[in-house]
Amino acid sequence: MGEKVELRAADGHRLAAYVARPKGTPRGAVVVVQEIFGVNRHIRAVTDGFAADGYLAVAPALFDRIQRDYETGYEPEDIAAGRALKDGTRLDDSVRDVSAAVEFARAGGEVAVVGYCWGGTVAWLAATRIDGIACAVPYYGGGIPEYAAEAPRCPVLCHFGDKDTSPAPDAARAAVAKHKSVTAHFYPAGHGFNCDLRGSYHEESAKLARERTIAFLAKKIGS
């Protein structure tokens, strides 16, 4: 079980974060960036998983600027509500909040940022805008093509679904091809394939993507 802490962003905003600690000395740290569904039980489970692999893991509540303690499921009404919150959230503020989480996570050593869905886009922006991140791993960040002109400041590993529409595979391939520091893998799956609570969950793709992620983290911050 993790714990809830409070972070403070550079503009003074205070936000919650879910923190999971490893047994023993951390081998590094991972900031986990939420989907549009908040820091819900899936994101907490993902965060716990990184802690089990030896990392200090931190999941900041990026919707706290609009609605505190927001978390929901994956029904159509949940998706609509999450999109509304996402649309009301400024990405600059989200990057600022992730930066606060990165600073907190430095207690565990070098820091990676891993994001899912909307959080995948935020993870990309963390890589392009936040100094001192060791690496980033965006999963199916729908907005990455929109920000492809921004060059990552660290190595990036991207996971995309070949059956996704956000982003479309061709747009994703064109975006990552612009940057030599980016490695991308495409899977026979749709959007959200990593989440075992969603209908789009694809077990084989999720397992392979996680194996690649853990190997990438071990190479970039675990050595």
Side-chain angles (χ1 to χ4, degrees), residues 125-142:
L125 293 178
T128 66
R129 299 182 184 184
I130 300 176
D131 289 324
I133 295 175
C135 61
V137 184
Y139 277 71
Y140 34 81

Side-chain angles (χ1 to χ4, degrees), residues 55 157 209-220:
Y55 298 96
L157 173 66
R210 191 175 193 283
E211 289 173 352
R212 286 169 167 166
T213 296
I214 293 300
F216 183 71
L217 296 180
K219 182 177 180 180
K220 300 303 179 184

Side-chain angles (χ1 to χ4, degrees), residues 68-138:
R68 295 272 174 182
D69 302 320
Y70 182 81
E71 64 172 281
T72 190
Y74 301 91
E75 297 302 319
E77 58 270 24
D78 299 325
I79 295 172
R83 284 175 175 167
L85 285 171
K86 181 262 293 183
D87 290 342
T89 302
R90 296 177 65 249
L91 278 172
D92 286 347
D93 286 335
S94 298
V95 172
R96 194 174 288 116
D97 293 346
V98 168
S99 183
V102 168
E103 291 308 310
F104 178 92
R106 291 194 194 283
E110 293 182 295
V111 183
V113 177
V114 181
Y116 303 84
C117 186
W118 173 66
T121 301
V122 177
W124 175 270
L125 293 178
T128 66
R129 299 182 184 184
I130 300 176
D131 289 324
I133 295 175
C135 61
V137 184

Side-chain angles (χ1 to χ4, degrees), residues 1 3 25 36 39-40 53-54 61 70 73 77 109 127 144 186 202 213:
M1 287 291 293
E3 62 180 310
T25 303
I36 62 171
V39 183
N40 63 3
D53 284 310
Y70 182 81
E77 58 270 24
I144 289 176
F186 289 78
H202 193 268
T213 296

